[in-house]
Amino acid sequence: MFHGGIFAWLAYFFYRSYGLDELQIGLALLGYGIPGLLLGPLLGKLADHYGRQRIIPLGLFLGALTVLLLSQNLNFAASCVLVALLSLGFDLSHPLFAAIVTTFSAQKGAATGLFAFFLFSGYGLGSLLLSLIINIGLESAFQVFGGCLLLAAICSIFVFRKEK
């Protein structure tokens, strides 16, 4: 939900903050997929080695930190790097949540379908929630979302502490 809310509004953020056109916005957001593409196998090995108890909170903390920094309207290059780091935070938590969901049932197809349903419903819900508070200002809305994710990251330490 968090990433769906933020990512849905990043194009507007780049348009408003830096006056980019559609092509430039697309190029600025290109960094969002790069960490998963380049580091996917390494992230999987880290999760296997250190477990979800460390990787998921790290991903959530990284996501919170990047959005809180994006809300500060840093320069364009820094914002592009932060978009890539936001993606890394997502990659550290998202695939591991998929693994958690598939442990719920021996029917992997049903569990994966349920996961996809909640994933995309969360994307839409996150975007909707951010749109409901956007009138406080984009930066303030990013700060609210970043603060909420920071609380979720802290909670995840306790939720996943018994994971091996």
Side-chain angles (χ1 to χ4, degrees):
M1 183 177 96
F2 168 79
H3 283 273
I6 297 301
F7 190 75
W9 285 88
L10 280 177
Y12 177 68
F13 168 80
F14 277 106
Y15 169 75
R16 204 209 56 204
S17 298
Y18 306 106
L20 303 183
D21 64 22
E22 292 87 355
L23 176 63
Q24 294 167 326
I25 289 169
L27 293 173
L29 295 178
L30 187 62
Y32 193 82
I34 291 175
L37 177 67
L38 298 179
L39 302 175
L42 175 64
L43 298 177
K45 288 178 185 177
L46 285 174
D48 290 342
H49 186 264
Y50 293 105
R52 297 183 290 213
Q53 70 183 30
R54 293 193 180 120
I55 302 299
I56 289 176
L58 176 64
L60 297 176
F61 275 113
L62 184 58
L65 178 65
T66 58
V67 171
L68 290 171
L69 287 172
L70 277 170
S71 75
Q72 300 305 306
N73 275 328
L74 304 174
N75 66 47
F76 175 69
S79 292
C80 290
V81 169
L82 288 171
V83 166
L85 289 174
L86 180 65
S87 176
L88 180 60
F90 177 76
D91 293 333
L92 284 167
S93 59
H94 166 73
L96 302 171
F97 283 136
I100 292 168
V101 168
T102 58
T103 61
F104 292 155
S105 171
Q107 296 176 321
K108 301 297 186 215
T112 302
L114 185 63
F115 171 72
F117 170 78
F118 282 109
L119 175 73
F120 291 110
S121 296
Y123 285 166
L125 183 60
S127 180
L128 176 65
L129 287 175
L130 196 69
S131 74
L132 294 174
I133 64 169
I134 206 73
N135 61 347
I136 66 172
L138 186 61
E139 291 79 13
S140 296
F142 276 16
Q143 290 170 357
V144 167
F145 259 55
C148 289
L149 188 60
L150 189 59
L151 288 174
I154 292 167
C155 290
S156 74
I157 292 170
F158 299 103
V159 170
F160 294 105
R161 74 173 173 254
K162 294 182 181 180
E163 290 280 333
K164 299 292 178 202

